[in-house]
Amino acid sequence: MVRSDGKLTHDIFPGEKGPQDACGVFGVWAPGEDVAKLAYYGLYALQHRGQESAGIATSSGDRISVYKDMGLVSQVFDETVLNTLQGHVAVGHCRYSTTGGSHWANAQPTLGATPHGTVALAHNGNLTNSAELYDQLIDKSGFPSRGEMAQGNTTDTALITALLAEHPHNSLEDAAMHLLPKLTGSFCLSFMDETTLYAARDPQGIRPLVLGRLERGWVVASETAALDIVGASLVREIEPGEFIAVDENGLRTRQFAEPKRAGCVFEYVYLARPDTTINGRSVYESRVEMGRQLAREHAVEADLVMPTPESGTPAAIGYAEAAGIPFGHGLVKNSYVGRTFIQPSDTIRQLGIRLKLNPLRSIVAGKKLIVVDDSIVRGNTQRALVRMLREAGAAEIHIRISSPPIKWPCFYGIDFASRAELIANGLAVEDIRASLGADSLGYISQEGMVEATKQPREILCTACFSGTYPTPLPEADKLGKAVLEAPGSSAPSAKHHELNETEPQTPATQENSA
């Protein structure tokens, strides 16, 4: 069956790519519940964090089954597939690739056979010492002869799984406590063996990870919105440097590293759902307050404040409120762009952003507009928007951005453009304004953005704006999506893996189940 590419947005402009989300992870331990469907709906709530592939692993105590494929959660799973995933424990994942390319072999959760059973692991984030860890694995064991790395998986997730599988410890829990302090970068892990759910968060807490309670079990998820959709109550955030295990004896927690908080401020700006709460602060309220602060910092006379749908909407609401200027929608979004893999012709491509957005001429014609967006990466999208709004009759166009200029790449799970491609890296604000063709351009200050989150600056990562990274970084050739890519590696095509505790030293068996 022909399927769509699983992307929610197209690269309408050649080479243009906005900030790509981190991944989403979900885990549940709940005897008596349909854990596969809980995981499905949890991933459905986290779909915005990754649209390339999705997968769920389950176990009823003696065998782990994993089903994963390329595409959106709703494309990968149906009732028939979910009914084959039985058990009391599950982990799920939706992916955007940050280490390793976007193909089936790199979909998650990953499977690994350990001396004491099986591990299925899902990862949100990006390790910065993958090359060093890979060298250690090779020095210790040689290139893996089994497991997903042997089958062509080139992700840091498969590397973590391989390192856990090689452990000499008495249990998977002991192996994790030994390995986790050696991982550098950002990682929120949800993983399992045949009986137990585990979760861990890096010492900086760069990506969010929360713990929830069901009537008959426990849930871990990337965002509180995923707890809401499965009816779990928020217990608390999983602390930076914390390891959690849940089994029939209940929940237990251990600290594997000293917390050194540096939560990603861009989660508040763009990445997280607006109905999520991070470290006690509503993401939606943060974005509205960023808009208010933006109005205070960059006031201008205008007739209408309008957002770039939909990420700019909360900030535009805040700007309009603080400025006392009417809020309105001057652009209509086509929500279905990207649900087909039919590429636009050259003629259609010339229309560019009109595939996604079209102006309401009766609203914008003759008006002085304030257009609010969350960020500018290369500037191609905003440049096309300005041109389109002028063609629709706008009298003036004033661009307002609810984050500071992005000047540095992210190595912790957001795939920005390279530094050389970031428009703010080489141009002053006035030069960027001229490049976009806007009448004025204003970015929120770093101080204003941080203040809107209600978080102390010292516990936030602002590296993409400031260039100050919270962890040490290796040389440039030890970073990047292809750091674990091996020339000539082959990628398997099966979707359904199973392992059980009676086969701990054999590769995952593969079945063409769909």
Side-chain angles (χ1 to χ4, degrees), residues 185-326:
S186 65
F187 57 91
C188 287
L189 306 178
S190 175
F191 59 110
M192 58 183 278
D193 56 22
E194 282 80 1
T195 61
T196 307
L197 174 68
Y198 306 97
R201 191 179 183 198
D202 64 80
Q204 287 71 36
I206 295 173
R207 299 278 153 240
L209 190 65
V210 293
L211 175 68
R213 192 74 165 98
L214 292 167
E215 184 177 350
R216 292 189 288 183
W218 297 87
V219 175
V220 295
S222 292
E223 297 186 26
T224 60
L227 303 183
D228 297 336
I229 201 171
V230 299
S233 58
L234 173 65
V235 176
R236 61 176 175 85
E237 287 207 351
I238 293 176
E239 293 297 318
E242 184 180 14
F243 171 83
I244 280 179
V246 183
D247 60 16
E248 61 184 2
N249 297 315
L251 181 144
R252 56 188 178 274
T253 177
R254 301 165 71 178
Q255 202 73 24
F256 65 85
E258 179 184 353
K260 299 177 181 177
R261 277 191 177 271
C264 174
V265 73
F266 210 71
E267 293 279 356
Y268 294 95
V269 172
Y270 172 79
L271 290 183
R273 281 175 51 146
D275 53 341
T276 280
T277 298
I278 301 176
N279 203 28
R281 174 62 167 167
S282 161
V283 169
Y284 178 82
E285 287 299 328
S286 296
R287 291 174 186 170
V288 172
E289 182 57 32
M290 288 173 195
R292 296 189 189 109
Q293 182 62 26
L294 191 54
R296 290 189 283 266
E297 294 181 7
H298 297 284
V300 65
E301 287 189 13
D303 303 309
L304 184 74
V305 177
M306 56 175 281
T308 300
E310 272 106 358
S311 58
T313 300
I317 290 171
Y319 192 107
E321 176 189 310
I325 300 172

Side-chain angles (χ1 to χ4, degrees), residues 80-392:
T80 301
V81 170
L82 292 172
N83 286 338
T84 69
L85 297 171
Q86 299 295 315
H88 69 280
V89 58
V91 298
H93 188 267
C94 53
R95 182 174 190 250
Y96 175 78
S97 53
T98 50
T99 295
S102 179
H103 51 74
W104 186 88
N106 286 344
Q108 299 182 34
T110 55
L111 270 180
T114 80
H116 306 287
T118 312
V119 58
L121 188 143
H123 171 210
N124 171 31
N126 193 57
L127 300 185
T128 56
N129 66 333
S130 292
E132 176 187 349
L133 293 170
Y134 180 78
D135 289 342
Q136 292 176 8
L137 178 67
I138 297 301
D139 290 343
K140 178 182 177 182
S141 309
F143 186 81
S145 59
R146 57 191 177 89
E148 297 207 11
M149 292 194 78
Q151 299 168 22
N153 193 314
T154 56
T155 65
D156 48 358
T157 310
L159 179 60
I160 296 171
T161 306
L163 290 166
L164 287 173
E166 294 290 336
H167 74 82
H169 301 278
N170 294 325
S171 66
L172 181 59
E173 184 170 340
D174 288 343
M177 290 299 293
H178 178 77
L179 175 62
L180 291 171
K182 299 179 180 179
L183 307 181
T184 304
S186 65
F187 57 91
C188 287
L189 306 178
S190 175
F191 59 110
M192 58 183 278
D193 56 22
E194 282 80 1
T195 61
T196 307
L197 174 68
Y198 306 97
R201 191 179 183 198
D202 64 80
Q204 287 71 36
I206 295 173
R207 299 278 153 240
L209 190 65
V210 293
L211 175 68
R213 192 74 165 98
L214 292 167
E215 184 177 350
R216 292 189 288 183
W218 297 87
V219 175
V220 295
S222 292
E223 297 186 26
T224 60
L227 303 183
D228 297 336
I229 201 171
V230 299
S233 58
L234 173 65
V235 176
R236 61 176 175 85
E237 287 207 351
I238 293 176
E239 293 297 318
E242 184 180 14
F243 171 83
I244 280 179
V246 183
D247 60 16
E248 61 184 2
N249 297 315
L251 181 144
R252 56 188 178 274
T253 177
R254 301 165 71 178
Q255 202 73 24
F256 65 85
E258 179 184 353
K260 299 177 181 177
R261 277 191 177 271
C264 174
V265 73
F266 210 71
E267 293 279 356
Y268 294 95
V269 172
Y270 172 79
L271 290 183
R273 281 175 51 146
D275 53 341
T276 280
T277 298
I278 301 176
N279 203 28
R281 174 62 167 167
S282 161
V283 169
Y284 178 82
E285 287 299 328
S286 296
R287 291 174 186 170
V288 172
E289 182 57 32
M290 288 173 195
R292 296 189 189 109
Q293 182 62 26
L294 191 54
R296 290 189 283 266
E297 294 181 7
H298 297 284
V300 65
E301 287 189 13
D303 303 309
L304 184 74
V305 177
M306 56 175 281
T308 300
E310 272 106 358
S311 58
T313 300
I317 290 171
Y319 192 107
E321 176 189 310
I325 300 172
F327 169 88
H329 290 283
L331 294 163
V332 174
K333 181 179 181 181
N334 181 354
S335 300
Y336 297 95
V337 170
R339 301 298 179 114
T340 173
F341 66 109
I342 299 173
Q343 297 300 317
S345 66
D346 290 341
T347 301
I348 295 297
R349 194 184 301 276
Q350 294 299 318
L351 298 176
I353 203 165
R354 290 181 188 272
L355 289 173
K356 289 195 294 185
L357 299 170
N358 206 34
L360 285 163
R361 293 177 181 271
S362 61
I363 299 298
V364 305
K367 300 285 181 60
K368 298 177 181 179
L369 305 176
I370 297 172
V371 183
V372 181
D373 207 347
D374 60 87
S375 60
I376 300 178
V377 181
R378 290 180 176 90
N380 291 339
T381 298
Q382 287 79 12
R383 192 175 298 113
L385 269 176
V386 169
R387 183 171 58 248
M388 184 170 63
L389 290 170
R390 290 210 189 279
E391 291 172 356

